[in-house]
Amino acid sequence: EAQLVESGGGLVQPGGSLRLSCAASGLIFSAYEMYWYRQAPGKGLEWVSRINSVGNRKMYADSVKGRFIISRDNAKNTLYLQMNSLSPEDTAVYSCQAKAGANVIARGQGTQVTVSS
């Protein structure tokens, strides 16, 4: 069974940084594009970033461009999201998805990120 498990969330002060991880199992991780999404309280699911299967093509939402960095380690079956210069507007549950085209292969449960002083 394909499984994605996020970790690395927590409470951080404005201007701080966090690194999220998404560990994959039960799927050929290196075959899929990977995505980060987030959902803030009372809001819908927002796409944050995507990376292609080999890790050389990356895209970001305008809201995080220049602050967040997506990466992957196919040898470790792990996706990362380095988040810098965090603001309260970044507070959300962050989750990862594995996709083949438009098809969602697996999605994680998410990890909470809270930015507050």
Side-chain angles (χ1 to χ4, degrees):
E1 178 183 358
Q3 189 173 17
L4 299 175
V5 179
E6 301 91 341
S7 62
L11 174 64
V12 63
Q13 292 187 340
S17 297
L18 280 177
R19 188 195 197 200
L20 305 184
S21 298
C22 167
S25 61
L27 72 161
I28 303 174
F29 179 74
S30 61
Y32 301 111
E33 283 196 326
M34 295 298 298
Y35 291 71
W36 283 104
Y37 289 86
R38 68 184 181 183
Q39 187 163 19
K43 296 188 177 181
L45 195 65
E46 176 189 13
W47 168 73
V48 174
S49 183
R50 63 185 278 189
I51 187 169
N52 69 340
S53 61
V54 297
N56 62 353
R57 292 181 63 184
K58 307 173 184 181
M59 295 182 65
Y60 300 92
D62 287 344
S63 58
V64 307
K65 198 173 296 183
R67 300 187 300 121
F68 290 11
I69 301 171
I70 190 171
S71 63
R72 66 190 297 162
D73 186 337
N74 286 345
K76 295 183 178 179
N77 292 340
T78 304
L79 173 73
Y80 303 99
L81 186 67
Q82 177 67 41
M83 306 187 297
N84 303 317
S85 302
L86 286 162
S87 71
E89 289 70 33
D90 295 314
T91 294
V93 174
Y94 285 73
S95 60
C96 56
Q97 292 187 14
K99 292 187 180 182
N103 295 321
V104 179
I105 304 303
R107 53 168 59 93
Q109 292 296 312
T111 184
Q112 175 70 48
V113 171
T114 302
V115 185
S116 175
S117 54

